[in-house]
Amino acid sequence: MERTFVMLKPDAVQRGLIGEILARIEAKGFKPVAMKFMRIPKELAERHYGEHKGKPFFPGLIEYMTSGPVLVMVWEGENIIAAMRTMMGATNPQNAAVGTIRGDFAQQTGRNLIHGSDGPESARREIELFFNDYELQNWSRSLDPWYIE
Ligand code: IDP
Ligand code: MG
């Protein structure tokens, strides 16, 4: 089963949207594998967003991501990497469809609430960056067969 890395950014935490967003992910039937409430050190934020280094928005992005606590998570499910990106909506909330997290709750790219891995390679990289093996739970739910045939 596929796994993805998800982060509720500082604005989601400050705005009290943790429950609202987690409820959507949980209701979809995805399974939590790891969760951690933390303040990201600057170096870790820079590594996580390494692909954007040098872009004009990079300094502001690092400042935003380190401005307060975040909730970092790993979730598991059928085709979950793409599915989470769909549930999140477009990077710019102005282009994000109604019904998506960014489309329903955000206005600006610089305050777009949530991160999700964009492919299998980045999912693996990001999970490793934020979690140790013992923090990842391999567990089965009795309801699993009611989500996945
Ligand atoms: P993604 O989060 O949808 O994968 P990316 O293009 O990978 O989008 O950008 C990473 C993050 O950097 C965005 O979610 C957003 O927080 C921030 N970002 C990207 N472009 C801009 C911009 O033009 N202005 C401000 N922040 C930006
Ligand atoms: Mg990205």
Side-chain angles (χ1 to χ4, degrees), residues 9 49 51-52 55 57 60-61 64-65 85 88-92 102 108-118:
K9 297 179 178 183
Y49 278 125
E51 61 170 315
H52 297 302
K55 295 182 184 169
F57 63 82
L61 173 60
Y64 162 50
M65 295 303 301
R85 297 284 299 186
M88 284 161 47
T91 303
N92 182 343
R102 287 163 170 173
Q108 275 191 336
T109 307
R111 295 288 183 271
N112 64 2
L113 298 172
I114 184 167
H115 167 86
S117 307
D118 63 7

Side-chain angles (χ1 to χ4, degrees), residues 18-72:
I18 293 175
E20 179 96 40
I21 295 171
L22 290 198
R24 291 183 175 209
I25 302 172
E26 211 177 22
K28 177 85 171 168
F30 292 147
K31 187 154 67 177
V33 172
M35 291 192 190
K36 198 154 60 177
F37 190 57
M38 65 182 287
R39 185 82 173 253
I40 307 181
K42 187 162 184 259
E43 310 73 54
L44 182 55
E46 287 172 347
R47 277 183 74 188
H48 172 68
Y49 278 125
E51 61 170 315
H52 297 302
K53 200 161 187 171
K55 295 182 184 169
F57 63 82
F58 188 74
L61 173 60
I62 299 305
E63 197 171 325
Y64 162 50
M65 295 303 301
T66 56
S67 65
V70 300
L71 186 68
V72 291

